Every structure is written in structure tokens, then in C-alpha cells.
Amino acid sequence: MPRQNRRRVEPVPTAGGAGSVERRESWRGEEYVMRVLSGTALRSYRCPGCDQLIAPGRPHVVAWPAHDADARDRRHWHTACWAARDRRLPTVQRSRSAPRY
């Protein structure tokens, strides 16, 4: 029988687009809104967990602090990097005006 170590979180469907599910998670004492995307992106993003590119069309996670109502501080993560975010902290801190690549 497989181990059940991960906390089960019930997804709440939203109007965020086809194939997206949004939920709230708490991490390091802060509430985050997390949206799972099914791979509808048309451009690549850099994952803050592993500092690698997320290829266009690949499923991934978008997360931002819950207090950020307009989601300006959102970050795109690989699904595995988001699940292991306690072990995969960003090694490079980028400011908003720094180049992404």
C-alpha cells in the first residue's frame, strides 16, 4: 500500500481559465493562493525553486501571497518544486526590475 505523507487539500474550481484549479495554502506563516495550470502558457517562465525554465505548454503552479489582491507578486513554479518548496528555496534573489534570464 502506498504511503500517504502529503496533506490532502480539496481544490476549489475557479473561473481562472480552462484546466485551472485555485486553492489556498499556508507556508512559513503566510497564506498563499495557488493555482494549478494545465499547460496553457504560451511563453516560458523561470521557476524560483530550481532556477530552470518552465517550457511553454507544460503544466505548472502559479502562487502569490493572499494579501496581494491583484497578484502582482505571483511566481510560476514547477509542480514538483512547489511541493518541495521547503527544500528548494530560491538560490538567486531577483528584484522586479532585474532581468529574468
Side-chain angles (χ1 to χ4, degrees):
M1 174 178 245
R3 293 172 48 185
Q4 298 292 323
N5 289 342
R6 290 195 169 76
R7 178 182 56 157
R8 295 178 189 256
V9 179
E10 293 297 321
V12 178
T14 62
S20 68
V21 174
E22 190 173 293
R23 62 182 179 221
R24 291 182 178 254
E25 289 189 10
S26 135
W27 181 47
R28 292 189 169 181
E30 191 171 351
E31 191 79 17
Y32 281 85
V33 177
M34 184 196 108
R35 184 176 293 163
V36 179
L37 299 178
S38 63
T40 58
L42 300 176
R43 58 168 284 208
S44 60
Y45 296 97
R46 186 159 304 268
C47 174
C50 65
D51 205 34
Q52 300 294 317
L53 288 178
I54 302 171
R58 298 286 307 229
H60 63 281
V61 172
V62 179
W64 63 92
H67 62 79
D68 187 9
D70 53 357
R72 288 184 190 222
D73 198 25
R74 65 185 176 270
R75 297 290 177 256
H76 295 255
W77 294 69
H78 290 106
T79 306
C81 293
W82 176 257
R85 62 191 174 275
D86 288 327
R87 297 183 307 270
R88 294 186 179 202
L89 294 178
T91 56
V92 178
Q93 296 291 328
R94 292 186 169 92
S95 67
R96 290 192 71 90
S97 61
R100 294 195 181 255
Y101 305 104

